[in-house]
Amino acid sequence: MNKVLMVHPTDNVMVALKDLEASEEINFEGQHLTTVGPVKSKHKFALKDFDKGDEVYMYGVLVGKATQPIKKGEAMTTENVKHAASDVVVRERKTDWIKPDVSAFENRTFKGYHRTDGQIGTQNMWLVVPLVFCENRNVLAAKEILEEKLGYSKGRDYDLDIDGLLQKIENGADSSGLIDEDIVIPLAEQKKNRAFKNVDGIKFLLHDGGCGGIRQDSDTLCQLLAGYLNNPNVAGATFLSLGCQNAQVEILQDAIKKVNPKFDKPVYYVEQQKSSSETDFISNIVKYTMAGLVEANKVERQEAPISALRLGLECGGSDGFSGISANPVIGYVSDMLVALGAIPILAEFPELNGVEQSLTDRCVEEKDAQRFVDLMAIYKHRAEAVGSGFDANPSPGNIKDGLITDAMKSAGAAKKGGSSPIVEVLDYTEQVTKKGLNLLCTPGNDVESTTALAGSGATLITFSTGLGTPTGNPITPVIKVSSNSILAERMKDIIDFDTGSVITGEDTIATKAAKMLDYLLEIASGNAETNSMRMRHDDFIPWKRGISL
């Protein structure tokens, strides 16, 4: 394994792949230098002497400026480098790209759920959703009644047979006899006990919206929920309405029609202010949900082409290796999917700051290039208006592990989008429809962004991380991809796929990407569960625009 890495031939910094001591000799690809002081693994060090104001380049793009003189071989830190990014203009299209070899996957399929409008999902979920936060308590009441009885109580690898113990007590067993009983029910056995074999789960969403605030927030919430209904991973839903909230049933119904004029999934609306009692209200929620599950259970997994997949591209808890292992591997998978006729979706606009020019150039249509520039400008203005900015995006964890400017973080994060042309630029809650790489405006916040990706149609989400995060989604499988093997071993209950072998040189980006696509097809077919699915990380946070990075 090499001690260092130069990511791009035009860079003037290098990455330490291991902890470097002071006065350590570095000889790599024609570069010869001696470290001035210690350089931690994942951090960067100077390949030249920098004067104050000199530009810092990594991944071939501007990622910062020196705030003081930096010696050749000295570590780059928040003390001597500040965020800087290149200006962006809409210019001629640069959409040529080299397609990866996908011959091994051309005839591959997965087993998905075919919807009547032609969409194909990787899951078959029923939703129970409040239109307003006042109904969160009743959603939880329905969950308590329905979930375990129908065999969907998860969150651990086992369940306990309390009913069996109660039966033995009823039959006269004494205390000593109970202690010797084996009451552990493995996860695989739990699934056999499900009442609806073709329904992968009932998901009970909670949120703090639907009323109060501004009317636009409630309208946007309805658009997001319409997107969740339209996602082919969803079979239908039961909506709980108080009755007087801003997010009226009619607004949601109009949003559904706008999202998909062919929409025909079963949807039920239960209004508390029209109910005679809470007992009557909860009873109706349960009955409508059970009726919906009967319909959802009629759909079975069938063979489907890879071209039907929609892969959300997300990262969180990034480290200094994310941009050289996990994200490039995901980017190669993205390119493979484009070559196979599928749809990857790159989100997190604050984490594209500094690489706008290359992404703008890759837009097939000039109107999409201009829309991307406009959305980024609006987002940046909103962040600055509340006293922040894109430069505040790196978290303390990012900085500690080597991502010291937003542009440096962004340049690595953008690698998830590969190199293929961008076919469409979408705003929050808009639906993906065009085959090829799409850009979706979301915040960098992990859960708000994964929530948005599922709401715009993602049927799988890859989530790269160098530090570890338990984020999941209620309707779309989230595959956690570690940038380094130390994390994969330490947090094996969270990480699903390890790309650390790219850092050690045991794998290339291409070989690891092929393994990842194999794994994604297993998840899409229901042959395996991600750790976030197993542990019930059903995170759902709608975005209130203008206040999140």
Side-chain angles (χ1 to χ4, degrees):
M1 174 180 173
N2 290 318
K3 294 188 294 184
V4 297
L5 175 69
M6 190 169 180
V7 178
H8 191 276
T10 63
D11 291 352
N12 52 24
V13 298
M14 195 174 279
V15 185
L17 300 182
K18 296 181 177 180
D19 288 345
L20 303 177
E21 303 292 336
S23 302
E24 190 160 344
E25 295 291 330
I26 302 297
N27 295 289
F28 183 78
E29 294 186 356
Q31 297 288 340
H32 308 283
L33 57 87
T34 303
T35 56
V36 173
V39 183
K40 292 182 179 179
S41 173
K42 306 180 185 180
H43 286 252
K44 290 77 186 170
F45 57 94
L47 292 181
K48 52 163 272 190
D49 290 329
F50 286 81
D51 292 326
K52 182 178 180 180
D54 282 355
E55 295 180 334
V56 179
Y57 281 83
M58 187 177 174
Y59 298 100
V61 299
L62 175 65
V63 296
K65 287 186 178 181
T67 58
Q68 62 189 51
I70 305 171
K71 294 181 180 180
K72 183 178 181 179
E74 185 177 351
M76 316 298 278
T77 70
T78 53
E79 300 297 320
N80 57 30
V81 175
K82 68 176 182 179
H83 168 79
S86 299
D87 293 331
V88 58
V89 295
V90 177
R91 57 190 187 188
E92 64 183 66
R93 310 291 91 231
K94 295 182 179 179
T95 57
D96 292 337
W97 70 300
I98 300 173
K99 293 183 179 182
D101 180 9
V102 292
S103 55
F105 290 90
E106 284 178 344
N107 297 316
R108 295 281 298 277
T109 60
F110 71 98
K111 287 189 175 182
Y113 293 99
H114 295 245
R115 306 301 177 188
T116 58
D117 60 3
Q119 299 186 84
I120 301 174
T122 65
Q123 296 284 288
N124 193 31
M125 297 292 189
W126 187 268
L127 300 182
V128 179
V129 191
L131 279 176
V132 62
F133 58 83
C134 307
E135 293 299 331
N136 283 344
R137 183 261 178 197
N138 292 318
V139 170
L140 292 175
K143 178 178 181 179
E144 184 179 356
I145 293 167
L146 282 168
E147 197 170 48
E148 190 167 355
K149 287 289 185 183
L150 298 180
Y152 294 105
S153 180
K154 294 194 299 182
R156 55 184 184 268
D157 293 330
Y158 63 91
D159 204 351
L160 298 177
D161 185 13
I162 305 301
D163 288 340
L165 284 183
L166 289 172
Q167 185 63 53
K168 290 184 181 300
I169 292 171
E170 195 173 305
N171 292 338
D174 59 20
S175 57
S176 59
L178 297 179
I179 292 170
D180 294 332
E181 287 295 321
D182 181 6
I183 63 170
V184 174
I185 305 173
L187 183 61
E189 195 64 30
Q190 291 180 54
K191 291 181 180 180
K192 292 179 183 177
N193 296 331
R194 286 180 182 172
F196 300 98
K197 306 298 184 185
N198 296 324
V199 179
D200 294 305
I202 313 171
K203 297 299 178 176
F204 301 83
L205 307 190
L206 303 175
H207 60 79
D208 63 359
C211 207
I214 58 176
R215 293 298 177 95
Q216 289 90 332
D217 283 341
S218 293
D219 292 346
T220 301
L221 174 64
C222 287
Q223 292 164 19
L224 178 69
L225 295 178
Y228 267 64
L229 274 174
N230 188 52
N231 190 304
N233 287 1
V234 172
T238 308
F239 283 97
L240 282 61
S241 170
L242 178 59
C244 58
Q245 72 276 352
N246 288 342
Q248 288 286 299
V249 169
E250 293 76 16
I251 296 175
L252 175 59
Q253 290 173 331
D254 287 344
I256 294 169
K257 291 176 184 176
K258 183 178 178 181
V259 161
N260 186 355
K262 297 180 180 179
F263 184 88
D264 65 351
K265 298 175 185 176
V267 181
Y268 304 108
Y269 304 94
V270 189
E271 184 175 315
Q272 187 167 17
Q273 290 172 346
K274 289 182 179 178
S275 299
S276 60
S277 65
E278 184 176 283
T279 303
D280 175 58
F281 183 56
I282 300 295
S283 173
N284 283 332
I285 294 167
V286 170
K287 287 188 290 184
Y288 280 121
T289 300
M290 292 290 284
L293 290 169
V294 170
E295 295 303 311
N297 199 51
K298 294 176 182 178
V299 184
E300 298 182 4
R301 287 187 183 272
Q302 298 176 15
E303 296 296 332
I306 291 178
S307 59
L309 290 175
R310 301 170 184 168
L311 180 67
L313 310 172
E314 176 73 18
C315 60
S318 300
D319 72 345
F321 285 167
S322 292
I324 56 180
S325 59
N327 291 344
V329 169
I330 291 173
Y332 200 93
V333 171
S334 172
D335 285 348
M336 294 174 75
L337 289 175
V338 171
L340 291 163
I343 302 177
I345 314 161
L346 181 62
E348 299 181 288
F349 273 27
E351 300 190 5
L352 301 179
N353 177 229
V355 291
E356 295 102 324
Q357 190 64 66
S358 62
L359 293 172
T360 300
D361 293 346
R362 284 166 58 188
C363 291
V364 174
E365 299 288 342
E366 185 174 315
K367 63 179 178 60
D368 284 301
Q370 188 61 57
R371 192 179 197 205
F372 177 55
V373 171
D374 292 344
L375 285 170
M376 288 292 284
I378 292 169
Y379 202 149
K380 182 178 180 181
H381 173 73
R382 285 176 174 169
E384 291 171 347
V386 293
S388 189
F390 284 161
D391 60 313
N393 180 260
S395 70
N398 296 150
I399 294 168
K400 182 181 178 182
D401 265 41
L403 301 176
I404 59 173
T405 74
D406 186 53
M408 185 181 290
K409 180 180 178 181
S410 296
K415 293 291 181 182
K416 300 192 303 294
S419 60
S420 68
I422 295 164
V423 298
E424 191 161 25
V425 175
L426 303 168
D427 201 358
Y428 182 63
T429 74
E430 291 181 340
Q431 302 295 293
V432 290
T433 57
K434 291 186 178 180
K435 298 290 188 179
L437 178 62
N438 286 246
L439 296 188
L440 175 64
C441 183
T442 77
N445 176 291
D446 296 351
V447 178
E448 288 176 331
S449 187
T450 51
T451 297
L453 282 164
S456 287
T459 55
L460 294 172
I461 296 173
T462 50
F463 190 122
S464 64
T465 181
L467 305 176
T469 168
T471 305
N473 183 266
I475 68 168
T476 299
V478 177
I479 297 93
K480 293 293 173 36
V481 182
S482 68
S483 69
N484 62 89
S485 298
I486 293 174
L487 171 66
E489 179 60 29
R490 187 177 70 249
M491 301 185 77
K492 60 179 65 176
D493 58 337
I494 286 176
I495 299 301
D496 302 297
F497 193 90
D498 177 27
T499 62
S501 55
V502 173
I503 298 295
T504 60
E506 299 164 74
D507 266 301
T508 66
I509 289 170
T511 60
K512 202 66 181 176
K515 295 172 185 176
M516 181 181 286
L517 186 50
D518 273 328
Y519 179 65
L520 292 178
L521 294 177
E522 287 295 296
I523 298 294
S525 297
N527 295 332
E529 285 188 329
T530 68
N531 280 314
S532 63
M533 295 165 70
R534 178 180 59 83
M535 298 177 72
R536 295 291 302 277
H537 289 141
D538 295 334
D539 303 315
F540 178 80
I541 302 180
W543 181 25
K544 292 182 179 179
R545 302 192 71 161
I547 61 170
S548 286
L549 286 175

